[in-house]
Amino acid sequence: MATTVRRAVLTLPAAPLGAENPLPALRPLDETHTVDAEGRIGMPRDMSRQVGYAPLRTLLPVRILDGYGRERTPTAIDALVLENDRLRATVLPGLGGRIHSLFHKPTGRELLYRNPVLQPADFALNGAWFSGGIEWNIGATGHTTLNCARLHAALVAAPDGGEMLRLWEWERLRDLPFQVDLWLPEDSDFLHVGVRIRNPHEQTVPTYWWSNIAVPEDPETRVLAPADEAWHFGYERSLRRIPVPEWNGADRSYPLRSEYPADYFYEVPRQARKWIASLDAGGQGLVQTSTDRLSGRKLFVWGSGTGGRRWQQWLTEPGTPGYAEIQAGLARTQLEHVRLDPGAEFSWLEAYGPLAAEPSAVHGGDWDTARREAEARLAEALPRTQVDAAYEAWRPCADIEPHETLATGSGWGALEVLRGGHKLPGTPFDESMIGEAQQPWLELYRSGSFPVPRRVTPPGPSLVGRHWRDMLETAPADPLTEYHLGVAQWHEGDLAQAVRSWERGLELAPSRWPLLRCLAVAEACGDHHERAADRYAEAFDDLCAEVREGEPWTAVLAALGREAIEALLVVGRGSDARGVWHRLRPSIRQRGRFRLIEAQLLIAEGDTGAARALFDGGFEVADLREGAEILNEVWATLTDEPLPDAYEYRMRP
């Protein structure tokens, strides 16, 4: 039985994603996965160079997803099921192409950590992310902005003549098309995954990829990889080289023997076979292997401490087992970007399947014995030569055009292909895919003018590529064009010119708040906090005079209100901040994020008792950022008592 592919519907308790944040993401990234200059001392030269290569300044042109909550209801989710007589893989094309489940029929085992709920949390570069399964991370350091996005999906002829599922999209942070091809060869215990990233541009582009696999975690789970050393990252902006598996008195190959969340990036020898496995007390579990292009391997652990356990509960149902992550990437660590030359591509093949090893060798022997046992069992189940041959057989199929569409992603790739005239066999970005969000930019491309919307509405998404900036600079200089031009200039680092564009737009703008908010961010980034507060107050006043009913308006009222209050509190203008608070809709003020903001307002007003009462009453900040310490910082201004466990999310000592 070769691969068959069918549609299915998966019903999970899910929290709705909510509306996108309509405010352009102008601020520098709030990203915990960074290394400062001191933290790079002692790195190999190539690693240090790649850690410092082309980090993102902002998320532009991508929008932030922060409109989700914590209330979950049974939700029907479109799924695609790949199946042969050995394996069944369930893929979610509307959620980044996530593999939700990989079930091994002969043993009746689920090989992945399959999350029983879909709960967004603020872990992706652009906010919303959820845990479980296998995810495809492309773009830049962190979880991809496509985690909760629809991908294009279609059927393609597989190398063995069966069916292959192709997923593809246009990654917008780096302007790169990519594809993921999945198939199950006849009688195979291994899911085959062919991945290709192409650079259709005339300049070198920084590139990033990590395949992220959630696996069940228990006290006897052990993670094995072909390495004697690893780079440890513990959310302290530094990498340190440590031995594997023993370090600081504990065997770190067992995820629950670390107290705090941490990354362990394995130092895999160049000539070694590339693999990583997670095996339980009985020596059984999942193994991932690949061709050599995908050279990095990593273990992420939540650890046994209070913060890590709290995050595990936050991401799923209380009382359910936890998980660890085993990963594979293009570089040694996830803090690096690699160069992809003009017209070039990266491609490789991955394989995922069950592994059964001798338990006494995995858990009772030393590291070398355990590793050799796992590698020997992998060689029996799937020889390295077979993986290389599968890659060579797949590579000509990567250009085959799909023959049946199963899901449709965004229209941004179609717009870029139309503008650039790119030829991308195998991944059709047809003009018919262009949707409502892309229509104004299509008109700019065709007519040279950016259209004025027919009704009052928050501005749509901005585009920031140099080619779009050039078109905006030659278009008629109306306020909306100046707004988008300023965003593109800001993205390129031309900050002074961006401010001039926004100020020009203000002169005739019927809606002033979008431009005033951009100017407020510019003032704050320049450390002119009083002027930033003035701009924010004026922007919020203008928005309140214009705001309508509907989800986009609620989203912008919440987003701008939050930024305005924070800016006013920075300069001690608590009364003005309270005035913004009172004009927010009750449904916004009831959110956990705004309960925290209310506590900060009460502290600024000197009413620490009322602020403490809010904490005692309990609230949940749905969009609490990975690594954020705001809860313990606010708590520390109220009392010397230990932070209650309900608010304990710290990821470092």
Side-chain angles (χ1 to χ4, degrees), residues 345-634:
E345 64 179 52
F346 289 143
S347 63
W348 61 89
L349 185 129
E350 305 180 47
Y352 297 82
L355 191 69
E358 173 57 45
S360 61
V362 171
H363 299 287
D366 58 20
W367 175 250
D368 285 342
T369 299
R371 194 176 65 188
R372 285 197 300 270
E373 168 66 11
E375 192 151 20
R377 301 290 79 76
L378 172 60
E380 292 173 358
L382 187 67
R384 185 177 188 177
T385 54
Q386 192 170 320
V387 174
D388 292 338
Y391 170 74
E392 295 300 329
W394 164 75
R395 191 60 192 81
C397 299
D399 285 344
I400 295 176
E401 296 298 326
H403 61 259
E404 182 182 340
T405 299
L406 299 174
T408 303
S410 80
W412 296 114
L415 183 67
E416 292 296 343
V417 166
L418 177 66
R419 181 211 58 80
H422 305 305
K423 304 300 181 185
L424 299 169
T427 53
F429 291 99
D430 300 327
E431 190 174 338
S432 61
M433 296 172 176
I434 293 175
E436 183 180 356
Q438 295 83 39
Q439 283 297 332
W441 298 94
L442 180 61
E443 185 168 333
L444 173 66
Y445 170 69
R446 286 179 168 163
S447 72
S449 296
F450 199 88
V452 177
R454 296 183 181 137
R455 57 189 176 87
V456 177
T457 184
S462 297
L463 291 181
V464 297
R466 184 65 205 221
H467 38 274
W468 296 109
R469 173 179 171 171
D470 291 344
M471 289 183 227
L472 290 166
E473 285 179 337
T474 58
D478 62 65
L480 187 56
T481 301
E482 296 286 11
Y483 163 82
H484 287 299
L485 174 58
V487 173
Q489 291 164 333
W490 183 269
H491 170 73
E492 281 199 67
D494 196 350
L495 309 189
Q497 191 60 54
V499 168
R500 284 193 286 273
S501 295
W502 292 327
E503 288 176 337
R504 282 196 307 270
L506 267 181
E507 297 173 6
L508 298 173
S511 296
R512 292 168 53 83
W513 64 264
L515 294 152
L516 288 166
R517 183 265 176 179
C518 290
L519 291 167
V521 174
E523 297 286 12
C525 290
D527 292 328
H528 303 301
H529 297 295
E530 278 288 357
R531 296 207 296 263
D534 289 340
R535 293 286 199 185
Y536 268 121
E538 188 180 357
F540 193 76
D541 287 344
D542 188 72
L543 173 62
C544 288
E546 182 177 283
V547 71
R548 306 317 200 243
E549 292 300 321
E551 192 176 46
W553 288 105
T554 300
V556 78
L557 191 67
L560 186 56
R562 173 182 169 180
E563 290 187 11
I565 290 172
E566 291 171 347
L568 290 162
L569 287 178
V570 164
V571 296
R573 289 164 58 176
S575 177
D576 291 338
R578 177 62 75 176
V580 172
W581 167 265
H582 282 308
R583 284 180 286 172
L584 294 172
R585 292 171 178 166
S587 61
I588 295 173
R589 294 201 299 264
Q590 291 167 6
R591 299 178 188 175
R593 168 63 65 180
F594 287 87
R595 299 291 298 279
L596 175 60
I597 289 173
E598 185 180 11
Q600 293 171 292
L601 279 169
L602 289 165
I603 292 168
E605 294 162 350
D607 194 348
T608 55
R612 172 64 186 264
L614 280 174
F615 273 85
D616 291 343
F619 58 85
E620 293 182 320
V621 181
D623 61 334
L624 187 69
R625 183 67 175 162
E626 175 191 13
E629 299 183 355
I630 184 64
L631 289 170
N632 46 289
E633 290 167 0
V634 175

Side-chain angles (χ1 to χ4, degrees), residues 83-103:
E83 195 163 9
N84 68 1
D85 56 356
R86 311 286 295 177
L87 281 175
R88 181 170 63 247
T90 304
V91 181
L92 308 181
L95 292 165
R98 181 79 59 102
I99 298 180
H100 175 71
S101 167
L102 187 61
F103 183 77

Side-chain angles (χ1 to χ4, degrees), residues 276-342:
I276 188 167
S278 173
L279 304 178
D280 63 14
Q284 298 189 70
L286 173 90
V287 64
Q288 187 271 2
T289 187
S290 71
T291 49
D292 287 352
R293 168 66 73 181
L294 202 68
S295 59
R297 291 300 184 276
K298 169 195 163 182
L299 165 65
F300 167 76
V301 301
W302 283 110
S304 60
T306 304
R309 294 299 94 196
R310 187 75 184 99
W311 273 118
Q312 292 263 33
Q313 297 164 11
W314 183 256
L315 294 167
T316 187
E317 290 281 11
T320 56
Y323 73 96
E325 293 172 359
I326 58 176
Q327 304 185 22
L330 282 175
R332 274 191 185 92
T333 75
Q334 287 178 323
L335 291 84
E336 301 170 67
H337 300 113
V338 296
R339 299 171 65 88
L340 183 55
D341 292 333

